[in-house]
Amino acid sequence: MTGKQNDIGMTPSVVDIFLKGCAKGFQVAVKNIIPAMILGYTLIFVLTETGLLDILGNIFSPVMGLFGLPGAAVAVLISAFFAKASGCATAATLYASGVLTVGQATMLFPACILMGTLIGHYARIVLVAGTNKKWHLFMLFIPVFDAFLSLLIMRFILSLMNIQ
């Protein structure tokens, strides 16, 4: 399939546009998503092998319990802080290992998206844009607040659906 001739030259065909999109998607996966997933898996491995996951689980158990989550779920939020995909991969890993139920993992996904990659976005956007420093802490707080709010909303929705 070739494109039509115009004054500028050949217009790209639908197939050309599709293939170009596939190549861009592959680059995004290789440059952004896969490293973030590796970060998530590595974080869980290190925390588990060193026993820190159990310690974090005990420390954060009261807070995470407010959302119906085990204390170890804090690892999902910590890894999401660095990368959305890392948080989601961490939740999937904890689900696969039996630490989280399917409902708990589902609850955590919106939180990962809402506060995910906060460190990177903060550095790339807030600092580079020269935002007034008096708003920096507030700008960090809002996505974290939104994530915790999403945990409450998801807990309510899943309880209506009888999903644990």
Side-chain angles (χ1 to χ4, degrees), residues 1-60:
M1 210 179 226
T2 60
K4 296 180 183 179
Q5 184 74 29
N6 64 15
D7 294 339
I8 301 171
M10 297 294 289
T11 58
S13 70
V14 171
V15 173
D16 292 335
I17 294 169
F18 176 78
L19 291 175
K20 194 174 190 176
C22 289
K24 283 184 180 179
F26 180 77
Q27 289 175 356
V28 167
V30 169
K31 291 180 181 176
N32 299 6
I33 297 172
I34 292 173
M37 291 178 70
I38 291 170
L39 172 66
Y41 291 129
T42 304
L43 178 67
I44 289 299
F45 177 79
V46 169
L47 290 175
T48 302
E49 292 301 312
T50 60
L52 289 175
L53 186 59
D54 293 331
I55 294 169
L56 283 173
N58 290 332
I59 293 170
F60 287 97

Short mmCIF file of all heavy atoms in Angstrom, two decimals, residues 1-60:
data_model
loop_
_atom_site.label_atom_id
_atom_site.label_comp_id
_atom_site.label_asym_id
_atom_site.label_seq_id
_atom_site.Cartn_x
_atom_site.Cartn_y
_atom_site.Cartn_z
N MET A 1 0.84 -1.17 0.00
CA MET A 1 0.00 0.00 0.00
C MET A 1 0.89 1.24 0.00
O MET A 1 1.73 1.40 0.86
CB MET A 1 -0.85 -0.04 1.26
CG MET A 1 -2.16 0.62 1.13
SD MET A 1 -3.04 0.45 2.70
CE MET A 1 -4.60 -0.03 2.07
N THR A 2 0.70 2.10 -0.96
CA THR A 2 1.50 3.32 -1.01
C THR A 2 0.59 4.52 -0.84
O THR A 2 -0.61 4.47 -1.09
CB THR A 2 2.25 3.43 -2.35
OG1 THR A 2 1.29 3.46 -3.40
CG2 THR A 2 3.22 2.28 -2.53
N GLY A 3 1.17 5.62 -0.45
CA GLY A 3 0.40 6.85 -0.26
C GLY A 3 0.17 7.55 -1.58
O GLY A 3 0.74 7.21 -2.62
N LYS A 4 -0.70 8.54 -1.59
CA LYS A 4 -1.01 9.31 -2.78
C LYS A 4 0.04 10.39 -2.98
O LYS A 4 0.64 10.87 -2.05
CB LYS A 4 -2.39 9.96 -2.64
CG LYS A 4 -3.51 8.97 -2.55
CD LYS A 4 -4.83 9.71 -2.41
CE LYS A 4 -5.96 8.72 -2.25
NZ LYS A 4 -7.24 9.40 -2.08
N GLN A 5 0.24 10.75 -4.21
CA GLN A 5 1.18 11.81 -4.55
C GLN A 5 0.54 13.17 -4.27
O GLN A 5 -0.63 13.37 -4.56
CB GLN A 5 1.55 11.70 -6.04
CG GLN A 5 2.59 12.67 -6.51
CD GLN A 5 3.98 12.32 -6.01
OE1 GLN A 5 4.27 11.17 -5.80
NE2 GLN A 5 4.80 13.32 -5.82
N ASN A 6 1.28 14.06 -3.65
CA ASN A 6 0.80 15.43 -3.47
C ASN A 6 1.93 16.39 -3.81
O ASN A 6 2.98 15.98 -4.29
CB ASN A 6 0.24 15.65 -2.05
CG ASN A 6 1.30 15.50 -0.97
OD1 ASN A 6 2.49 15.51 -1.25
ND2 ASN A 6 0.85 15.37 0.26
N ASP A 7 1.72 17.68 -3.53
CA ASP A 7 2.73 18.70 -3.88
C ASP A 7 4.04 18.48 -3.14
O ASP A 7 5.11 18.80 -3.64
CB ASP A 7 2.20 20.11 -3.57
CG ASP A 7 1.02 20.48 -4.46
OD1 ASP A 7 0.88 19.87 -5.54
OD2 ASP A 7 0.25 21.38 -4.05
N ILE A 8 3.97 17.97 -1.91
CA ILE A 8 5.16 17.81 -1.09
C ILE A 8 5.87 16.50 -1.42
O ILE A 8 7.07 16.38 -1.27
CB ILE A 8 4.78 17.85 0.40
CG1 ILE A 8 4.11 19.18 0.72
CG2 ILE A 8 5.99 17.66 1.29
CD1 ILE A 8 3.50 19.25 2.10
N GLY A 9 5.18 15.54 -1.86
CA GLY A 9 5.75 14.22 -2.12
C GLY A 9 4.75 13.17 -1.75
O GLY A 9 3.55 13.37 -1.85
N MET A 10 5.24 12.05 -1.29
CA MET A 10 4.36 10.94 -0.93
C MET A 10 3.78 11.15 0.46
O MET A 10 4.51 11.49 1.38
CB MET A 10 5.13 9.60 -0.96
CG MET A 10 5.66 9.22 -2.32
SD MET A 10 4.34 8.89 -3.49
CE MET A 10 3.73 7.35 -2.87
N THR A 11 2.49 10.94 0.59
CA THR A 11 1.89 10.94 1.93
C THR A 11 2.02 9.53 2.49
O THR A 11 1.93 8.55 1.74
CB THR A 11 0.40 11.36 1.89
OG1 THR A 11 -0.31 10.46 1.06
CG2 THR A 11 0.25 12.78 1.40
N PRO A 12 2.24 9.41 3.78
CA PRO A 12 2.41 8.07 4.34
C PRO A 12 1.11 7.28 4.29
O PRO A 12 0.02 7.83 4.48
CB PRO A 12 2.85 8.33 5.78
CG PRO A 12 2.49 9.74 6.06
CD PRO A 12 2.39 10.45 4.76
N SER A 13 1.24 6.00 4.05
CA SER A 13 0.08 5.13 4.04
C SER A 13 -0.30 4.76 5.47
O SER A 13 0.46 5.00 6.41
CB SER A 13 0.38 3.85 3.25
OG SER A 13 1.29 3.04 3.97
N VAL A 14 -1.46 4.17 5.62
CA VAL A 14 -1.91 3.72 6.94
C VAL A 14 -0.92 2.71 7.51
O VAL A 14 -0.60 2.75 8.70
CB VAL A 14 -3.34 3.13 6.84
CG1 VAL A 14 -3.75 2.48 8.15
CG2 VAL A 14 -4.33 4.18 6.43
N VAL A 15 -0.41 1.85 6.67
CA VAL A 15 0.56 0.84 7.12
C VAL A 15 1.84 1.51 7.60
O VAL A 15 2.40 1.14 8.65
CB VAL A 15 0.85 -0.18 6.00
CG1 VAL A 15 1.97 -1.12 6.39
CG2 VAL A 15 -0.41 -0.95 5.63
N ASP A 16 2.31 2.52 6.86
CA ASP A 16 3.53 3.25 7.27
C ASP A 16 3.33 3.92 8.63
O ASP A 16 4.20 3.87 9.50
CB ASP A 16 3.90 4.32 6.23
CG ASP A 16 4.37 3.73 4.92
OD1 ASP A 16 4.86 2.58 4.92
OD2 ASP A 16 4.22 4.42 3.89
N ILE A 17 2.17 4.55 8.81
CA ILE A 17 1.87 5.22 10.07
C ILE A 17 1.80 4.19 11.20
O ILE A 17 2.33 4.41 12.30
CB ILE A 17 0.56 6.02 9.97
CG1 ILE A 17 0.75 7.18 8.98
CG2 ILE A 17 0.12 6.54 11.34
CD1 ILE A 17 -0.54 7.87 8.59
N PHE A 18 1.16 3.06 10.94
CA PHE A 18 1.06 2.00 11.95
C PHE A 18 2.43 1.48 12.34
O PHE A 18 2.75 1.34 13.52
CB PHE A 18 0.18 0.85 11.42
CG PHE A 18 0.11 -0.32 12.34
CD1 PHE A 18 -0.72 -0.29 13.45
CD2 PHE A 18 0.87 -1.47 12.10
CE1 PHE A 18 -0.80 -1.37 14.31
CE2 PHE A 18 0.80 -2.55 12.97
CZ PHE A 18 -0.03 -2.51 14.07
N LEU A 19 3.28 1.21 11.35
CA LEU A 19 4.62 0.68 11.63
C LEU A 19 5.46 1.71 12.39
O LEU A 19 6.24 1.35 13.28
CB LEU A 19 5.31 0.25 10.34
CG LEU A 19 4.70 -0.97 9.66
CD1 LEU A 19 5.40 -1.23 8.33
CD2 LEU A 19 4.77 -2.19 10.56
N LYS A 20 5.31 2.99 12.05
CA LYS A 20 6.03 4.03 12.77
C LYS A 20 5.57 4.08 14.23
O LYS A 20 6.37 4.23 15.14
CB LYS A 20 5.81 5.38 12.08
CG LYS A 20 6.74 6.46 12.52
CD LYS A 20 6.53 7.71 11.66
CE LYS A 20 7.62 8.71 11.92
NZ LYS A 20 7.49 9.88 11.04
N GLY A 21 4.26 3.95 14.45
CA GLY A 21 3.72 3.91 15.81
C GLY A 21 4.23 2.71 16.59
O GLY A 21 4.54 2.81 17.79
N CYS A 22 4.31 1.56 15.91
CA CYS A 22 4.85 0.36 16.57
C CYS A 22 6.30 0.57 16.99
O CYS A 22 6.69 0.18 18.09
CB CYS A 22 4.75 -0.85 15.63
SG CYS A 22 3.09 -1.45 15.37
N ALA A 23 7.08 1.18 16.13
CA ALA A 23 8.49 1.43 16.45
C ALA A 23 8.61 2.38 17.64
O ALA A 23 9.43 2.16 18.54
CB ALA A 23 9.21 2.01 15.23
N LYS A 24 7.76 3.43 17.67
CA LYS A 24 7.79 4.35 18.81
C LYS A 24 7.37 3.64 20.09
O LYS A 24 7.95 3.85 21.15
CB LYS A 24 6.87 5.55 18.56
CG LYS A 24 7.44 6.58 17.62
CD LYS A 24 6.49 7.77 17.51
CE LYS A 24 7.05 8.82 16.59
NZ LYS A 24 6.13 9.96 16.46
N GLY A 25 6.34 2.81 20.01
CA GLY A 25 5.88 2.06 21.17
C GLY A 25 6.95 1.13 21.70
O GLY A 25 7.14 1.00 22.92
N PHE A 26 7.68 0.50 20.78
CA PHE A 26 8.77 -0.39 21.18
C PHE A 26 9.86 0.40 21.91
O PHE A 26 10.39 -0.03 22.93
CB PHE A 26 9.34 -1.11 19.96
CG PHE A 26 10.47 -2.04 20.29
CD1 PHE A 26 10.21 -3.27 20.86
CD2 PHE A 26 11.79 -1.67 20.04
CE1 PHE A 26 11.24 -4.14 21.18
CE2 PHE A 26 12.83 -2.53 20.36
CZ PHE A 26 12.55 -3.77 20.93
N GLN A 27 10.19 1.58 21.38
CA GLN A 27 11.20 2.42 22.02
C GLN A 27 10.77 2.85 23.42
O GLN A 27 11.57 2.85 24.35
CB GLN A 27 11.50 3.64 21.16
CG GLN A 27 12.26 3.33 19.90
CD GLN A 27 12.44 4.55 19.02
OE1 GLN A 27 11.93 5.63 19.32
NE2 GLN A 27 13.17 4.38 17.93
N VAL A 28 9.50 3.20 23.58
CA VAL A 28 8.99 3.59 24.90
C VAL A 28 9.12 2.41 25.87
O VAL A 28 9.54 2.56 27.01
CB VAL A 28 7.53 4.07 24.82
CG1 VAL A 28 6.89 4.17 26.19
CG2 VAL A 28 7.46 5.41 24.10
N ALA A 29 8.76 1.22 25.39
CA ALA A 29 8.84 0.03 26.25
C ALA A 29 10.28 -0.24 26.67
O ALA A 29 10.55 -0.48 27.84
CB ALA A 29 8.27 -1.18 25.52
N VAL A 30 11.19 -0.17 25.73
CA VAL A 30 12.59 -0.49 26.02
C VAL A 30 13.25 0.58 26.89
O VAL A 30 14.00 0.27 27.81
CB VAL A 30 13.39 -0.69 24.70
CG1 VAL A 30 14.88 -0.76 24.96
CG2 VAL A 30 12.91 -1.95 23.99
N LYS A 31 12.93 1.84 26.64
CA LYS A 31 13.58 2.93 27.37
C LYS A 31 12.92 3.26 28.71
O LYS A 31 13.59 3.70 29.62
CB LYS A 31 13.61 4.20 26.51
CG LYS A 31 14.52 4.11 25.32
CD LYS A 31 14.49 5.39 24.52
CE LYS A 31 15.38 5.31 23.31
NZ LYS A 31 15.28 6.51 22.49
N ASN A 32 11.61 3.06 28.83
CA ASN A 32 10.91 3.51 30.02
C ASN A 32 10.26 2.38 30.82
O ASN A 32 10.47 2.28 32.03
CB ASN A 32 9.81 4.52 29.66
CG ASN A 32 10.37 5.76 29.00
OD1 ASN A 32 11.54 5.84 28.71
ND2 ASN A 32 9.53 6.73 28.75
N ILE A 33 9.44 1.58 30.18
CA ILE A 33 8.63 0.61 30.90
C ILE A 33 9.46 -0.55 31.44
O ILE A 33 9.36 -0.90 32.62
CB ILE A 33 7.46 0.11 30.03
CG1 ILE A 33 6.54 1.30 29.71
CG2 ILE A 33 6.70 -1.00 30.72
CD1 ILE A 33 5.47 1.00 28.69
N ILE A 34 10.28 -1.15 30.61
CA ILE A 34 11.07 -2.31 31.06
C ILE A 34 12.02 -1.93 32.20
O ILE A 34 12.07 -2.63 33.21
CB ILE A 34 11.79 -2.98 29.87
CG1 ILE A 34 10.75 -3.64 28.95
CG2 ILE A 34 12.81 -4.01 30.36
CD1 ILE A 34 11.30 -4.18 27.66
N PRO A 35 12.77 -0.83 32.10
CA PRO A 35 13.62 -0.47 33.24
C PRO A 35 12.81 -0.24 34.52
O PRO A 35 13.25 -0.61 35.61
CB PRO A 35 14.32 0.81 32.79
CG PRO A 35 14.31 0.75 31.31
CD PRO A 35 13.03 0.05 30.94
N ALA A 36 11.64 0.37 34.40
CA ALA A 36 10.81 0.61 35.59
C ALA A 36 10.33 -0.71 36.18
O ALA A 36 10.30 -0.88 37.41
CB ALA A 36 9.62 1.48 35.22
N MET A 37 9.98 -1.66 35.34
CA MET A 37 9.55 -2.96 35.84
C MET A 37 10.71 -3.69 36.51
O MET A 37 10.54 -4.31 37.56
CB MET A 37 8.95 -3.79 34.71
CG MET A 37 7.63 -3.23 34.22
SD MET A 37 6.94 -4.15 32.84
CE MET A 37 6.48 -5.66 33.67
N ILE A 38 11.87 -3.58 35.93
CA ILE A 38 13.05 -4.19 36.55
C ILE A 38 13.32 -3.56 37.91
O ILE A 38 13.65 -4.25 38.87
CB ILE A 38 14.28 -4.08 35.61
CG1 ILE A 38 14.08 -4.99 34.39
CG2 ILE A 38 15.57 -4.43 36.34
CD1 ILE A 38 15.09 -4.79 33.29
N LEU A 39 13.14 -2.24 38.01
CA LEU A 39 13.29 -1.56 39.29
C LEU A 39 12.31 -2.14 40.32
O LEU A 39 12.69 -2.42 41.45
CB LEU A 39 13.06 -0.06 39.14
CG LEU A 39 12.99 0.75 40.44
CD1 LEU A 39 14.33 0.75 41.16
CD2 LEU A 39 12.52 2.15 40.16
N GLY A 40 11.06 -2.34 39.91
CA GLY A 40 10.06 -2.90 40.82
C GLY A 40 10.42 -4.30 41.27
O GLY A 40 10.36 -4.62 42.47
N TYR A 41 10.79 -5.15 40.34
CA TYR A 41 11.16 -6.52 40.69
C TYR A 41 12.41 -6.54 41.59
O TYR A 41 12.49 -7.29 42.55
CB TYR A 41 11.42 -7.36 39.44
CG TYR A 41 10.18 -7.64 38.63
CD1 TYR A 41 10.15 -7.38 37.27
CD2 TYR A 41 9.04 -8.16 39.22
CE1 TYR A 41 9.01 -7.63 36.53
CE2 TYR A 41 7.90 -8.42 38.48
CZ TYR A 41 7.89 -8.16 37.14
OH TYR A 41 6.77 -8.41 36.40
N THR A 42 13.37 -5.69 41.26
CA THR A 42 14.60 -5.62 42.06
C THR A 42 14.30 -5.12 43.47
O THR A 42 14.82 -5.67 44.45
CB THR A 42 15.63 -4.71 41.37
OG1 THR A 42 15.87 -5.19 40.05
CG2 THR A 42 16.93 -4.65 42.14
N LEU A 43 13.46 -4.10 43.56
CA LEU A 43 13.09 -3.57 44.87
C LEU A 43 12.46 -4.64 45.75
O LEU A 43 12.86 -4.83 46.90
CB LEU A 43 12.15 -2.38 44.72
CG LEU A 43 11.64 -1.76 46.02
CD1 LEU A 43 12.78 -1.10 46.78
CD2 LEU A 43 10.55 -0.76 45.73
N ILE A 44 11.51 -5.36 45.20
CA ILE A 44 10.85 -6.43 45.97
C ILE A 44 11.83 -7.52 46.34
O ILE A 44 11.84 -8.02 47.47
CB ILE A 44 9.65 -7.01 45.19
CG1 ILE A 44 8.54 -5.99 45.15
CG2 ILE A 44 9.15 -8.30 45.81
CD1 ILE A 44 8.02 -5.60 46.51
N PHE A 45 12.69 -7.89 45.41
CA PHE A 45 13.69 -8.93 45.69
C PHE A 45 14.60 -8.51 46.84
O PHE A 45 14.82 -9.27 47.79
CB PHE A 45 14.51 -9.23 44.43
CG PHE A 45 15.59 -10.24 44.67
CD1 PHE A 45 15.30 -11.59 44.72
CD2 PHE A 45 16.91 -9.84 44.86
CE1 PHE A 45 16.29 -12.53 44.96
CE2 PHE A 45 17.91 -10.77 45.10
CZ PHE A 45 17.60 -12.12 45.14
N VAL A 46 15.12 -7.28 46.76
CA VAL A 46 16.03 -6.80 47.80
C VAL A 46 15.31 -6.69 49.15
O VAL A 46 15.83 -7.13 50.18
CB VAL A 46 16.67 -5.44 47.40
CG1 VAL A 46 17.39 -4.79 48.56
CG2 VAL A 46 17.61 -5.62 46.22
N LEU A 47 14.11 -6.11 49.13
CA LEU A 47 13.36 -5.98 50.39
C LEU A 47 13.02 -7.34 50.99
O LEU A 47 13.10 -7.52 52.21
CB LEU A 47 12.07 -5.18 50.16
CG LEU A 47 12.24 -3.69 49.87
CD1 LEU A 47 10.90 -3.05 49.54
CD2 LEU A 47 12.91 -2.97 51.02
N THR A 48 12.67 -8.30 50.16
CA THR A 48 12.33 -9.63 50.65
C THR A 48 13.55 -10.36 51.18
O THR A 48 13.53 -10.92 52.29
CB THR A 48 11.67 -10.47 49.53
OG1 THR A 48 10.52 -9.77 49.06
CG2 THR A 48 11.26 -11.84 50.03
N GLU A 49 14.62 -10.35 50.41
CA GLU A 49 15.82 -11.09 50.79
C GLU A 49 16.51 -10.53 52.02
O GLU A 49 17.14 -11.26 52.77
CB GLU A 49 16.81 -11.16 49.61
CG GLU A 49 16.31 -12.00 48.45
CD GLU A 49 16.03 -13.44 48.85
OE1 GLU A 49 16.88 -14.08 49.51
OE2 GLU A 49 14.94 -13.95 48.50
N THR A 50 16.41 -9.23 52.23
CA THR A 50 17.05 -8.63 53.39
C THR A 50 16.15 -8.63 54.62
O THR A 50 16.60 -8.27 55.71
CB THR A 50 17.45 -7.17 53.10
OG1 THR A 50 16.27 -6.42 52.78
CG2 THR A 50 18.46 -7.08 51.98
N GLY A 51 14.89 -9.00 54.43
CA GLY A 51 13.94 -8.99 55.54
C GLY A 51 13.32 -7.63 55.78
O GLY A 51 12.50 -7.47 56.68
N LEU A 52 13.70 -6.65 54.96
CA LEU A 52 13.16 -5.29 55.13
C LEU A 52 11.68 -5.21 54.79
O LEU A 52 10.97 -4.36 55.34
CB LEU A 52 13.95 -4.29 54.28
CG LEU A 52 15.37 -3.98 54.77
CD1 LEU A 52 16.09 -3.08 53.77
CD2 LEU A 52 15.32 -3.32 56.13
N LEU A 53 11.20 -6.10 53.90
CA LEU A 53 9.78 -6.08 53.55
C LEU A 53 8.93 -6.40 54.78
O LEU A 53 7.91 -5.77 55.03
CB LEU A 53 9.47 -7.05 52.41
CG LEU A 53 8.05 -7.00 51.86
CD1 LEU A 53 7.71 -5.61 51.33
CD2 LEU A 53 7.86 -8.04 50.78
N ASP A 54 9.39 -7.36 55.58
CA ASP A 54 8.67 -7.70 56.81
C ASP A 54 8.72 -6.55 57.81
O ASP A 54 7.72 -6.24 58.47
CB ASP A 54 9.26 -8.96 57.45
CG ASP A 54 9.04 -10.20 56.59
OD1 ASP A 54 8.03 -10.24 55.86
OD2 ASP A 54 9.87 -11.12 56.66
N ILE A 55 9.87 -5.91 57.91
CA ILE A 55 10.01 -4.77 58.83
C ILE A 55 9.11 -3.62 58.38
O ILE A 55 8.37 -3.04 59.19
CB ILE A 55 11.48 -4.32 58.94
CG1 ILE A 55 12.32 -5.42 59.60
CG2 ILE A 55 11.61 -3.01 59.69
CD1 ILE A 55 13.82 -5.20 59.52
N LEU A 56 9.16 -3.29 57.08
CA LEU A 56 8.29 -2.24 56.55
C LEU A 56 6.82 -2.60 56.74
O LEU A 56 6.00 -1.75 57.07
CB LEU A 56 8.57 -1.99 55.06
CG LEU A 56 9.82 -1.20 54.71
CD1 LEU A 56 10.03 -1.19 53.21
CD2 LEU A 56 9.71 0.22 55.23
N GLY A 57 6.52 -3.88 56.52
CA GLY A 57 5.15 -4.35 56.70
C GLY A 57 4.66 -4.15 58.11
O GLY A 57 3.51 -3.73 58.33
N ASN A 58 5.51 -4.41 59.09
CA ASN A 58 5.13 -4.21 60.49
C ASN A 58 4.98 -2.74 60.83
O ASN A 58 4.06 -2.34 61.53
CB ASN A 58 6.15 -4.87 61.42
CG ASN A 58 6.08 -6.38 61.36
OD1 ASN A 58 5.03 -6.95 61.08
ND2 ASN A 58 7.19 -7.03 61.62
N ILE A 59 5.90 -1.93 60.34
CA ILE A 59 5.86 -0.49 60.63
C ILE A 59 4.62 0.16 60.02
O ILE A 59 3.94 0.96 60.67
CB ILE A 59 7.14 0.21 60.13
CG1 ILE A 59 8.36 -0.26 60.94
CG2 ILE A 59 7.00 1.72 60.18
CD1 ILE A 59 9.69 0.19 60.36
N PHE A 60 4.33 -0.17 58.76
CA PHE A 60 3.24 0.49 58.04
C PHE A 60 1.91 -0.25 58.12
O PHE A 60 0.92 0.18 57.52
CB PHE A 60 3.64 0.72 56.58
CG PHE A 60 4.64 1.81 56.42
CD1 PHE A 60 6.00 1.52 56.32
CD2 PHE A 60 4.25 3.13 56.39
CE1 PHE A 60 6.93 2.53 56.18
CE2 PHE A 60 5.18 4.15 56.27
CZ PHE A 60 6.52 3.85 56.15
#
